[in-house]
Amino acid sequence: MKKCFALILGCEKYTHKRLMQDLDNFPFEYRYFLGNPELDEPIEDNKIVYLPCSDNYEYLPIKVRLGIKWIVENIPDVSYIFKTDDDITFNGEKLLTMYRSQILKKSLDYCGHRIDCIAHFSNHHKGSCESEVLNHSSLYVPNTIYCSGGGDFLPSGGGYFLSKKSFDIINNEFDIDKNPFLKNYDQTIYEDVMTGGILNYFSIFPTQVNIESKVL
């Protein structure tokens, strides 16, 4: 079976969520990815990888890109990445069955809870940011078809899957000079919108799959 590796976003501020998350029956190898702005390069400590970036809401897109980069460089036999958060729990058996019967069987490149987003100004981040300027600002979200990155659409959400083709694009193609369209996403603080926007540009659009999960 093609290997899937889970990229689980966390932060020191919410360590209690990570400690509450029961992954005893989780079907995939995983690491928690946290930020540490004092680092020059990632450091792995058991099941946690500390990335050289800030550990706040604003840096989630960068944290995802750095997490994917770490997986590519350190887990070379991975065929899929499952991106999720540390405040979500899963039925491991059902998650594995869905992965085998839907994602692998259909060779899906990008899937999860699909959202067809029409350009708008969002307030979703307010109250979650370290920056008070951002906490009091509405942010522009361009037209994007993406998968929800966390628990906003439970019980059918909880994360998204990326094939090697897709996560290699995220890892290699974030070059604004080469791909000017990325200016639309360079300042976004919504990691799932960023992921969808990049993949949409390369004609990869998400497939709806139901990932049974619940928030802690």
Side-chain angles (χ1 to χ4, degrees), residues 122-126 131-139 190:
S122 176
N123 296 316
H124 181 75
H125 62 285
K126 288 186 176 181
S131 165
E132 286 306 312
V133 173
L134 289 174
N135 278 332
H136 293 88
S137 303
S138 297
L139 298 179
Y190 306 127

Side-chain angles (χ1 to χ4, degrees), residues 64-176:
V64 168
R65 282 159 47 200
L66 289 176
I68 290 174
K69 183 175 186 291
W70 185 90
I71 294 170
V72 169
E73 293 177 351
N74 292 275
I75 316 290
D77 59 338
V78 168
S79 297
Y80 279 90
I81 290 175
F82 176 50
K83 184 273 156 186
T84 187
D85 293 338
D86 62 359
D87 60 350
I88 301 171
T89 61
F90 302 90
N91 180 309
E93 183 178 348
K94 290 183 178 180
L95 183 62
L96 182 59
T97 297
M98 184 273 295
Y99 173 66
R100 288 172 168 167
S101 64
Q102 297 186 52
I103 297 170
L104 290 184
K105 187 175 182 179
K106 299 177 182 178
S107 298
L108 300 180
D109 281 318
Y110 177 32
C111 55
H113 184 88
R114 174 176 165 138
I115 299 172
D116 291 49
C117 173
I118 298 173
H120 67 285
F121 284 90
S122 176
N123 296 316
H124 181 75
H125 62 285
K126 288 186 176 181
S128 298
C129 298
E130 187 174 295
S131 165
E132 286 306 312
V133 173
L134 289 174
N135 278 332
H136 293 88
S137 303
S138 297
L139 298 179
Y140 179 72
V141 180
N143 291 321
T144 312
I145 304 175
Y146 68 96
C147 290
S148 171
D152 295 334
F153 293 91
L154 298 177
S156 62
Y160 53 82
F161 287 86
L162 300 171
S163 70
K164 179 171 173 52
K165 175 182 176 181
S166 294
F167 65 70
D168 278 345
I169 288 173
I170 301 297
N171 190 43
N172 295 323
E173 297 296 342
F174 205 87
D175 183 336
I176 293 177

Side-chain angles (χ1 to χ4, degrees), residues 172-183 201-202:
N172 295 323
E173 297 296 342
F174 205 87
D175 183 336
I176 293 177
D177 292 332
K178 179 181 176 182
N179 299 312
F181 86 99
L182 289 171
K183 290 180 181 178
Y201 179 79
F202 289 93

Side-chain angles (χ1 to χ4, degrees), residues 195-211:
T195 296
I198 295 173
L199 294 178
N200 290 176
Y201 179 79
F202 289 93
S203 300
I204 296 176
F205 299 93
T207 300
Q208 171 71 36
V209 298
N210 292 326
I211 302 170

